[in-house]
Amino acid sequence: MTRALVLGGGGVTGVAWEWGLLAGLAGRGVDVSDADLVVGTSAGSVVGAQLCSGTPVRESYEAQLRPPRAELPARLGAGVLLRWAWAGARGGDAVRARARVGAMALAARTPSEQSRRAVLAARLAGARWPARRLLVTAVDAASGEFVVFDADSGVSLLDAVGASCAVPGVWPPVTIGARRYVDGGVRSAVNADLAAGADAVLVLAPVTAGFGPMPRLSAQVAALRAAGTRVAVVSPDRSSRRAIGRNVLDPARRAGAARAGLAQATAVADQVAAVWA
């Protein structure tokens, strides 16, 4: 049986919530860190890279509880979200909509690529592409094409994760060769359809909403189930949403989000185990 773990985007609090949930599940005897395939989008690409590097889940969870000294302050405000929605609602197909978001990202004033890269390098601590299959999603900022990086892409894991985490209008697009890339969440907050073919799929989705022509998580999950795949989806419950707050890029919310994910695992452990076992 092949099992896939799909880790969605959700900012710095999404990273923390996912680690809390993974640690809580493991503490209840449902260890999903041995997935055959890991799909990471944005925040999920950070968690996926760390998980596949072999760092113990509990250790990664506890790291979320420490003061976030290395993080750059940022805000995913209403203005940025409105610009995303405007770009996606202007008609045309999904690729063109993503290209409009990419154009907005290329024109935005953001911190430098170097400063952002340093933050991600500290998170990954020299991690390299793992032997296990890891897929990291991004979008070409100029063309709007959806890109999936893996160990055979000829791209470093740090660059791939950096591209996947390049939130348009907040963080700078990441330069890889002659191209620049933005957040894989521009195509889908989760990209669960990349797990097609697995027998069992666990989706951790800090964010489930989309805009414009973005494929919806519900449709992706329905397609997986129609193909015979067992799927469990976990998104933040009320307590987790309260802990995460309105700004998913607020490092001060990181520890609370991690603790909320840990607590939520109690309620979903049986659901996950039924799919994963």
Side-chain angles (χ1 to χ4, degrees), residues 40-54:
T41 293
S42 198
S45 72
V46 176
V47 177
Q50 293 171 326
L51 183 72
C52 291
S53 74

Side-chain angles (χ1 to χ4, degrees), residues 3-233:
R3 298 179 292 187
L5 175 62
V6 178
L7 302 165
V12 67
T13 55
V15 170
W17 176 80
E18 288 180 356
W19 277 123
L21 199 61
L22 291 170
L25 289 172
R28 286 156 183 79
V30 189
D31 185 1
V32 300
S33 64
D34 60 348
D36 302 290
L37 166 67
V38 177
V39 178
T41 293
S42 198
S45 72
V46 176
V47 177
Q50 293 171 326
L51 183 72
C52 291
S53 74
T55 305
V57 170
R58 188 73 191 190
E59 182 180 319
S60 295
Y61 163 72
E62 291 173 351
Q64 305 305 307
L65 307 181
R66 302 182 194 123
R69 296 187 181 92
E71 298 292 339
L72 296 174
R75 181 172 184 80
L76 186 56
V80 172
L81 294 174
L82 284 172
R83 289 197 295 275
W84 286 12
W86 176 78
R90 288 170 55 198
D93 63 17
V95 176
R96 290 182 181 178
R98 295 195 295 264
R100 290 193 293 268
V101 176
M104 180 267 285
L106 291 167
R109 297 181 62 182
T110 65
S112 68
E113 280 193 63
Q114 293 78 8
S115 63
R116 178 62 176 158
R117 182 183 174 88
V119 171
L120 293 172
R123 288 184 191 171
L124 297 183
R128 299 178 181 274
W129 285 104
R132 194 182 346 173
R133 192 168 183 228
L134 170 65
L135 304 181
V136 175
T137 67
V139 168
D140 187 303
S143 70
E145 292 293 334
F146 182 52
V147 178
V148 180
F149 296 114
D150 62 14
D152 297 324
S153 299
V155 172
S156 74
L157 181 59
L158 176 58
D159 283 340
V161 171
S164 192
C165 293
V167 181
V170 177
W171 303 125
V174 169
T175 304
I176 301 176
R179 311 297 297 178
R180 301 191 76 191
Y181 298 90
V182 294
D183 200 311
V186 172
R187 189 260 182 175
S188 163
V190 183
N191 293 299
D193 51 335
L194 294 182
D199 298 301
V201 175
L202 170 60
V203 178
L204 303 188
V207 175
T208 59
F211 65 88
M214 291 175 67
R216 299 302 191 264
L217 173 60
S218 58
Q220 294 176 346
V221 170
L224 289 171
R225 288 175 173 156
T229 300
R230 300 198 307 273
V231 185
V233 179

